[in-house]
C-alpha cells in the first residue's frame, strides 16, 4: 500500500452515514450517539447483500466500539467485491467544482488540504482496516479489463486520493495499449471523470510517492499528452525537485529517463542528471527491466555515446549475469540497442543473448523476432541451435508470419550462408500462396537467397512462374537496382529472366539505373555483364538487344561485392606446392589468371593437342586449358558441401567456354595428411585414366 496519502478528488456534500437507504432500513440520525443504530444497520445489511453505501466505510472507521470494528472488518471484503456499478446512487463531486466538503455534518475542511482530522484518533486496529481497504481498492482497480470500467468504478467513490488517481490513470493507459490502441478514444479523454483524475494529479503532485509520480508521467507519455500542458509541466517540476534531492531510486530513475526522452528528446538537461545518477547507483540495485530501460535511454542518445561509453561497457559486462532473467521482449530490446549503439566489441553479450533467444523463438512476436534477426545479421552471429529452432517455427508458422519477418529470416540465412531446406521450402510455399502480401523490397530479400545459396525448392516451377507474373504486374514499382539484383539472382540458378532481358539492356532502363550519378556503380555493371554473358552462353534463343560495350566490365573480381570469391590463401599455397612437386617446375602453370571472359582462374594449365602440359608462357599450340578451382570454405554454404550460386555459374560458364574445370574443394584437402598424399591427389584430379592430359 502506498505510504503517502493525497488530497481527495471529490467532496461529499454534507452526507451523513446513509445517503440512500433501502426499503425497510431505518434512518440513522446520529451514529455517534446511538450505538443501537449501528447494530440495526448491520442487521439490515445482512439481508441486503447487494447494498453498499459510499461514505459508510469512512463513518464506521471512526466509531470507538470494538465490536463494530470487528463487524466492519469481517464484512468489508464481501461488500467491495460484490459491487455493481449500476447500483451506486451517490456520485462524487469533482474537486474543481467543490471547494469544501463535510463529513457527517461536522466542520467543513478546505478541499485543497488533506483531510486528517480523524486519522490521529485511530487506534492500531483501525489503521490496519484503512490499509486493508486501500489494498482492496487497488486490487479491484487492476481487475478491470477496459478503461470504461475503471472510470465507472472511480465515479462511485466519495474521495479519490491523489495516489489512487495516479494508479487509475496508469491502469486506463495500460488497458488502452493492451487493446492495441495507440491513444485513448476521444470519449475517454473528454470524460469528466478522466479529466478530474488528471486535475487531481496536476494539483497535488507533491503528495505522490516516487513510484506514483514516475508512473503517472509514463502514463501521460503513452497517452501522447502535450509536453507543454500544465499537468506534464507540474509533474516534471516535481520530478526535477526530487531528482536534485537525490530521493529517486534506481528503478524510478529508469522510468523517468525513458519518459523524458519521449517528452523532451535526448537533449533534455534533466536527462543528463538522470544518466549521471544512474552511473552512481550500485549495479545490484538494477532489475532486469531496469537494465533494458538503461539500454533504451542510451540508445536514444547515440550522439553522446563517447561520454557514456565507460558506463555502457559496465552495463554490458553486468548484463551477462542478467541474461537468464530476461523476457523475450527484453532480449529483443537489448539486441536492438546494441545495434543502434554499434557495440561490436560486446560479442560475449550478443552470443549469450543468442543462446537464450533459442528457447524463445516460438514466443517472440513478429516484430521482436525481426529485431533479433537484424541484430544477428549486424553482428555476424549465427547459432546452430537457433537455426534449428527457427526452422521449426518457420515451417509451422510461415503462412501466418508477417512478410517483413519472412524476408528477415531469408536475409539472415543469406548473410550467414545457411542453406536451410525446411526454411527455404516453407518460404517458397508461402510466396506462391500469398505473393500479393509482399512488397518489392521484401520480394527481393526473399528470392535473392535462393540464387546466392544455389538452391531450387521442390516447387521451383510454381515459385518462378509466380515471380514472373508478379514482375509483369508490378514491374514499375521495383527500383532499378533492386530489379537488376533480383533478375541476376534468378540467373545464378539457371532460371534465366529471358522475358526481361530486353528491358534491362535498353537505354531507358540503363538511364534509370544510373539515376543522378555520373556513372553506374561497379556491382551493377558486373551484374549486367554476367547477365549478358548468360544470354549468350545459356540462352542462345535470345535475340533481343545486346548490352553496349561501355556497360561491360573486364573482371568480376572486385575488392567489394565481387561476383567471384577470392581464393583462400592458405589452400592456394598448399596446392601450388603440390603442383610444383607434381609438374616439376613453377613454369608449367599460371596463377590468378584473368581470362578474356571476366573470370579469374585460381590456376590455369595449358595442354597441347596430345594432352601434354605446355609451359604457361606459351600461347601457341594450346589445344586445351584446364581451370583448377581451389574452393575454400567461403565458396560453399555454411556447414555444407554445396557451392554458392556465384561459384556454380562461374564453373558452368567456364565449361561452356571450353575450359576443363577441375574442382579442388577444401573438404578434400583437409583429409590429406602429408605432402605426398597431396601430390597423389592432384595427380588423380589432373591426370586420371579418362583424361587426355600428360606430363
Amino acid at each position: 500500500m502506498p505510504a503517502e496519502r493525497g488530497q481527495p478528488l471529490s467532496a461529499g456534500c454534507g452526507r451523513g452515514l446513509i445517503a440512500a437507504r433501502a426499503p425497510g432500513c431505518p434512518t440513522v440520525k446520529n451514529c455517534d450517539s446511538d450505538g443501537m443504530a449501528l447494530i440495526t444497520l448491520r442487521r439490515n445489511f445482512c439481508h441486503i447483500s447487494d447494498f453498499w453505501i459510499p461514505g459508510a466505510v469512512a463513518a464506521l472507521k471512526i466509531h470507538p466500539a470494538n465490536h463494530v470494528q470487528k463487524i466492519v472488518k469481517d464484512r468489508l471484503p464481501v461488500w467491495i467485491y460484490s459491487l455493481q456499478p449500476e447500483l451506486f446512487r451517490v456520485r462524487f463531486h469533482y474537486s474543481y467544482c467543490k471547494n469544501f466538503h463535510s463529513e457527517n455534518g461536522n466542520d467543513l475542511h478546505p478541499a485543497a488540504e488533506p483531510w486528517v482530522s480523524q486519522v490521529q484518533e485511530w487506534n492500531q486496529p483501525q489503521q490496519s482496516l484503512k490499509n486493508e481497504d486501500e489494498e482492496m481498492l487497488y486490487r479491484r482497480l487492476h481487475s478491470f479489463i477496459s478503461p470504461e470500467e475503471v472510470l465507472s468504478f472511480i465515479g462511485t467513490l466519495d474521495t479519490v486520493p491523489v495516489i489512487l488517481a495516479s494508479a487509475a490513470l496508469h491502469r486506463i493507459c495500460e488497458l488502452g495499449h493492451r487493446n492495441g490502441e495507440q491513444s485513448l478514444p476521444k470519449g475517454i479523454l473528454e470524460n469528466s471523470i478522466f479529466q478530474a483524475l488528471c486535475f487531481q494529479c496536476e494539483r497535488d503532485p507533491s503528495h505522490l510517492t516516487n513510484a506514483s509520480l514516475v508512473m503517472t508521467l509514463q502514463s501521460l507519455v503513452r497517452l501522447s499528452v502535450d509536453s507543454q500542458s500544465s499537468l506534464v509541466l507540474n509533474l516534471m517540476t516535481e520530478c526535477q525537485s526530487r531528482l536534485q534531492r537525490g530521493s529517486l531510486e534506481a528503478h524510478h530513475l529508469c522510468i523517468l529517463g525513458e519518459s523524458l526522452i519521449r517528452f523532451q528528446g535526448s537533449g533534455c538537461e534533466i536527462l543528463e542528471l538522470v544518466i549521471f545518477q544512474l552511473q552512481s547507483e550500485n549495479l545490484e540495485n538494477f532489475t532486469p527491466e531496469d537494465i533494458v530501460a538503461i539500454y533504451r535511454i542510451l540508445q536514444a542518445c547515440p550522439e553522446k555515446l563517447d561520454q557514456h561509453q565507460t558506463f555502457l561497457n559496465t552495463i554490458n559486462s553486468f548484463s551477462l549475469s542478467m541474461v537468464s532473467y530476461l523476457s523475450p521482449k527484453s532480449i529483443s530490446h537489448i539486441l536492438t540497442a546494441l545495434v543502434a549503439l554499434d557495440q561490436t566489441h560486446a560479442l560475449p553479450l550478443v552470443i549469450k543473448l543468442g543462446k537464450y533467444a533459442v528457447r524463445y523463438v516460438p514466443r517472440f512476436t513478429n516484430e521482436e523476432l525481426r529485431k533479433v534477426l537484424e541484430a544477428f545479421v549486424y553482428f555476424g552471429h549465427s547459432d546452430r541451435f537457433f537455426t534449428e529452432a527457427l526452422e521449426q517455427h518457420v515451417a509451422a508458422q510461415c503462412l501466418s508470419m508477417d512478410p517483413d519477418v519472412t524476408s528477415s529470416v531469408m536475409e539472415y540465412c543469406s548473410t550467414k550462408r545457411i542453406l536451410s531446406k525446411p526454411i527455404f521450402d516453407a518460404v517458397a510455399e508461402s510466396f506462391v500462396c500469398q505473393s500479393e502480401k509482399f512488397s518489392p523490397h521484401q520480394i527481393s530479400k526473399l528470392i535473392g537467397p535462393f540464387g546466392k545459396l544455389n538452391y531450387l525448392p521442390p516447387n521451383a516451377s510454381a515459385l518462378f512462374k509466380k515471380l514472373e507474373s508478379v514482375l509483369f504486374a508490378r514491374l514499375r514499382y521495383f527500383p532499378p537496382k533492386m530489379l537488376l539484383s533480383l533478375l541476376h539472382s534468378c540467373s545464378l540458378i539457371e532460371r534465366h529472366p529471358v522475358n526481361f532481358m530486353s528491358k534491362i539492356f535498353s537505354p531507358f532502363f540503363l538511364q534509370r539505373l544510373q539515376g543522378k550519378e555520373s556513372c553506374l556503380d561497379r556491382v551493377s555493371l558486373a551484374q549486367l555483364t554476367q547477365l549478358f554473358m548468360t544470354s549468350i552462353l545459356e540462352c542462345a534463343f535470345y535475340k533481343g538487344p545486346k548490352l553496349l560495350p561501355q556497360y561491360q566490365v573486364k573482371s568480376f573480381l572486385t575488392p567489394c561485392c565481387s561476383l567471384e570469391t577470392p581464393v583462400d590463401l592458405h589452400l592456394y599455397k598448399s596446392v601450388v606446392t603440390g603442383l610444383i612437386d607434381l609438374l616439376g617446375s613453377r613454369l608449367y602453370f599460371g596463377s590468378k589468371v584473368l581470362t578474356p571472359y571476366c573470370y579469374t582462374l585460381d590456376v590455369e594449365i595449358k595442354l597441347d593437342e596430345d594432352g601434354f602440359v605446355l609451359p604457361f608462357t606459351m600461347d601457341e599450340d594450346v589445344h586445351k586449358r584446364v581451370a583448377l578451382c581451389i574452393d575454400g570454405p567461403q565458396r560453399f554454404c555454411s556447414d555444407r558441401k554445396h557451392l554458392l550460386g556465384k561459384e556454380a555459374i562461374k564453373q558452368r560458364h567456364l565449361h561452356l567456354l571450353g575450359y576443363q574445370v577441375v574442382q579442388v574443394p577444401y573438404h578434400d584437402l583437409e583429409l590429406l595428411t602429408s605432402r605426398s598424399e597431396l601430390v597423389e591427389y592432384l595427380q588423380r584430379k589432373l591426370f586420371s585414366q579418362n583424361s587426355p592430359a600428360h606430363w
Side-chain angles (χ1 to χ4, degrees), residues 62-80:
I62 63 173
H63 200 279
N66 291 332
H67 68 279
V68 175
Q69 295 172 8
K70 183 178 185 303
I71 290 170
V72 174
K73 189 172 182 179
D74 292 340
R75 296 291 182 179
L76 185 59
V78 178
W79 294 344
I80 287 186

Side-chain angles (χ1 to χ4, degrees), residues 12 55 125 133 171 181 214 216 242 322 520:
D133 184 9
R171 183 58 179 169
E181 300 174 357
V214 296
T216 303
R242 299 188 191 189
M322 306 286 287
L520 283 175

